[in-house]
Amino acid sequence: MRLSQYFMPILRDDPKEAEIVSHKLMLRCGMIRQEAAGSYSWLPLGFRVLKKIEQIVREEQNRAGAIEVLMPTIQPADLWRKSGRYDAYGKEMLRIKDRHERDMLFGPTNEEMITDIFRQGVKSYKDLPRNLYHIQWKFRDEVRPRFGVMRGREFLMKDAYSFDLTRQAGQHSYNKMFVSYLKTFARMGLKAVPMRAETGPIGGKDSHEFLILAPTGESGVFFDQAFLDMDWTTFDIDYDDVAAVARVVEDFTSKYAATDEKHDAAEFEKRVPEAARVTGRGIEVGHIFFFGTKYSEPMGAMVQGPDGKMVPVESGSYGIGVSRLVGGIIEASHDEAGIIWPEAVAPFTVGLINLKAGDAETDAACDQLYKALAARGVEVLYDDRDERPGGKFATMDLIGLPWQVIIGPRGLKDGIAEVKNRKTGARENVALDRVLERFGA
RNA sequence: CGGAGUGUAGCGCAGUCUGGUAGCGCACCUGCUUCGGGAGCAGGGGGUCGGAGGUUCGAAUCCUCUCACUCCGACCA
């Protein structure tokens, strides 16, 4: 993409409504635009990141055996009356009437609808287990939305729902999601520590939330330093191996980790040596629940067991805040100059800087490299604008692409480009004809 | 939902107390000089002053109502 033809409205000053760093940076980079309290348009740069995150989530859900569907944002109220949550959910649920005066609502979550879908399609224990998910916009009419996309009212969420015949099978489904969450967040460069959680309005028996460390997080967190030293990235797992999956869960839940709601100071001090006690703030990026038959019973989601008897299915639900992750990753990865995108979610991999647009030789070298990179599938944002170098550097640092390739007359004399790593700041001179291979192209 | 604040150009702000031609910086347009870490000079464009009523010869400014947004607390992917 040529920056001269892109839509990326950069701001030099922080908009005053932004309080936390991710919100400021997203606005300054032109990633989002606020439309109402807690409601944002996603501009091209932000949209690319959102889609990258969504795709990683999708791949890891599929890998763990979940099956993608898509349910509507607007739901009929009757479904919720059946589960008893229409009244219980309170004002957070946005209620709407259609032209026939039928009660509708903008879905804050989908337990009811998915259970209804499941009920129609599955009658026998032979059809279990199943795990259905979708990635869809939710609306929760928060009393006080804030912090940009971190606590919006409208937000993109992945929610999965598992259905099993027995408690034990349900536990395995829960465990699979637990492990897939570790992998999902790790792929985005995050260490999301699983912590035992309150079940809240979703209700149920077992629950963990996944939190990433960030000073602006909304929850206080207390955990064992050993978590951060664990291997989050390389463990490979056979999701059908019940014992192996359970071992990973066991491994990641055996150490102390709690949010302030569940924190027990005495236990913390007993179980964690002083030097290893980490206390700080965390951002919740995922939350999983095992709730047994809480919804299947009232919703009549029954299957016929081997003995011919009807039994309610055991189910769980599993959420990842996809749009929140965009902010969360920035909170976890930025510096004074701007964002530092982990490569897996970066809107572009390479920022190509033409230091002297209008100079025939520099233009030619940049154009050639730009086309070659693009042709080989490297995502490159080419700053071909006629601007001064300082502004270009500042913009590129601000939007935080992992790599910068800097080409100007000075280096060009010797046939070299400069390659800069945004994260480390390290620069190296690379012969122009070697830049392609430098990016695996 | 309680408490506190703010609405003036794309962004940041002054002007409001004490009514009298709507301003500044950045950004944007034109020209010249510049050009490896946010340049200089000159010229220029852009505003229903959140909205509606009222007071007044005259309202960004005073009065009434209203809407939106932000922050602090209780709740949450």
Side-chain angles (χ1 to χ4, degrees):
Chain A
M1 176 57 65
R2 286 173 185 271
L3 193 44
S4 65
Q5 293 165 28
Y6 203 41
F7 186 79
M8 196 177 82
I10 296 282
L11 298 175
R12 230 169 122 162
D13 300 313
D14 290 332
K16 67 172 173 195
E17 77 264 20
E19 196 67 16
I20 64 171
V21 66
S22 62
H23 192 194
K24 287 179 183 169
L25 288 172
M26 288 180 77
L27 289 168
R28 286 192 54 205
C29 290
M31 293 176 65
I32 52 169
R33 199 184 91 106
Q34 180 165 348
E35 301 296 353
S39 166
Y40 295 86
S41 289
W42 291 81
L43 305 184
L45 196 73
F47 189 60
R48 287 182 75 101
V49 176
L50 187 67
K51 285 291 166 184
K52 292 254 171 115
I53 292 171
E54 180 183 331
Q55 185 56 25
I56 289 173
V57 169
R58 175 176 290 118
E59 286 169 11
E60 292 304 327
Q61 289 291 289
N62 292 346
R63 204 192 300 271
I67 308 160
E68 188 170 15
V69 298
L70 184 61
M71 292 174 267
T73 53
I74 308 289
Q75 306 182 19
D78 280 352
L79 266 181
W80 288 70
R81 294 200 172 99
K82 212 181 286 181
S83 73
R85 282 211 292 179
Y86 189 64
D87 297 318
Y89 219 94
K91 287 196 164 179
E92 257 192 25
M93 187 153 77
L94 179 65
R95 292 147 213 263
I96 313 167
K97 277 191 198 297
D98 70 8
R99 67 193 300 164
H100 304 292
E101 294 288 303
R102 284 186 286 244
D103 291 321
M104 311 289 283
L105 57 98
F106 197 116
T109 178
N110 284 68
E111 279 85 3
E112 281 76 1
M113 187 171 282
I114 197 74
T115 305
D116 203 49
I117 290 171
F118 173 85
R119 194 170 62 96
Q120 279 191 322
V122 171
K123 301 292 179 195
S124 160
Y125 76 95
K126 292 175 186 169
D127 296 323
L128 297 179
R130 288 292 182 276
N131 183 329
L132 302 176
Y133 77 97
H134 75 340
I135 300 171
Q136 177 64 293
W137 292 90
K138 305 289 187 289
F139 192 94
R140 294 183 190 174
D141 201 354
E142 299 275 348
V143 186
R144 189 150 96 82
R146 64 190 118 164
F147 303 151
V149 300
M150 303 275 285
R151 175 161 306 288
R153 290 192 296 174
E154 189 171 346
F155 58 97
L156 187 61
M157 175 174 163
K158 184 285 300 181
D159 41 326
Y161 304 90
S162 66
F163 305 95
D164 287 275
L165 182 63
T166 64
R167 195 67 207 279
Q168 295 88 324
Q171 185 66 50
H172 180 234
S173 291
Y174 182 89
N175 289 351
K176 282 200 286 189
M177 285 292 108
F178 186 106
V179 173
S180 82
Y181 274 33
L182 294 175
K183 291 174 72 88
T184 300
F185 297 126
R187 278 186 64 184
M188 300 171 192
L190 299 172
K191 290 182 174 179
V193 180
M195 308 196 181
R196 188 162 293 278
E198 299 288 351
T199 50
I202 307 280
K205 303 180 162 77
D206 202 0
S207 178
H208 286 91
E209 12 181 61
F210 292 75
L211 290 101
I212 57 176
L213 268 185
T216 43
E218 293 190 74
S219 317
V221 294
F222 305 83
F223 64 92
D224 192 326
Q225 168 76 35
F227 268 112
L228 300 179
D229 303 331
M230 289 174 81
D231 179 9
W232 296 66
T233 51
T234 62
F235 69 87
D236 211 3
I237 191 105
D238 175 359
Y239 281 108
D240 294 326
D241 185 337
V242 175
V245 172
R247 267 198 304 278
V248 175
V249 174
E250 170 63 23
D251 201 20
F252 276 86
T253 53
S254 59
K255 297 172 189 65
Y256 188 91
T259 61
D260 39 20
E261 290 172 342
K262 283 263 183 177
H263 180 54
D264 178 338
E267 193 194 343
F268 189 44
E269 282 163 30
K270 195 174 90 191
R271 287 178 52 192
V272 186
E274 190 163 359
R277 286 178 206 151
V278 180
T279 66
R281 311 291 300 172
I283 298 165
E284 182 183 353
V285 290
H287 201 160
I288 61 179
F289 303 87
F290 183 65
F291 43 67
T293 59
K294 175 175 161 127
Y295 297 98
S296 53
E297 282 192 67
M299 300 293 292
M302 318 279 277
V303 296
Q304 212 166 8
D307 58 0
K309 291 200 176 113
M310 298 299 287
V311 290
V313 295
E314 299 278 339
S315 51
S317 75
Y318 314 91
I320 291 179
V322 176
S323 48
R324 169 179 288 184
L325 272 166
V326 180
I329 290 168
I330 295 171
E331 289 293 329
S333 183
H334 67 272
D335 63 15
E336 286 297 302
I339 301 172
I340 302 171
W341 290 114
E343 203 148 337
V345 301
F348 297 91
T349 308
V350 174
L352 174 61
I353 299 179
N354 181 337
L355 281 180
K356 194 162 186 178
D359 175 72
E361 273 179 56
T362 315
D363 285 351
C366 288
D367 284 10
Q368 194 191 357
L369 183 58
Y370 168 63
K371 285 177 180 151
L373 283 167
R376 286 162 175 78
V378 177
E379 294 178 303
V380 47
L381 182 64
Y382 171 26
D383 191 346
D384 58 338
R385 297 170 307 159
D386 183 14
E387 296 286 339
R388 298 166 55 78
K392 292 193 172 193
F393 290 134
T395 297
M396 210 51 94
D397 285 347
L398 177 67
I399 67 173
L401 306 185
W403 298 98
Q404 296 172 14
V405 175
I406 300 158
I407 295 181
R410 204 169 80 190
L412 222 43
K413 285 202 313 278
D414 308 316
I416 58 164
E418 192 179 351
V419 175
K420 177 183 157 186
N421 180 305
R422 173 65 179 88
K423 185 174 183 174
T424 64
R427 301 150 182 274
E428 67 183 292
N429 289 324
V430 177
L432 264 180
D433 52 10
R434 311 294 295 269
V435 174
L436 282 181
E437 63 192 67
R438 186 69 186 64
F439 293 102

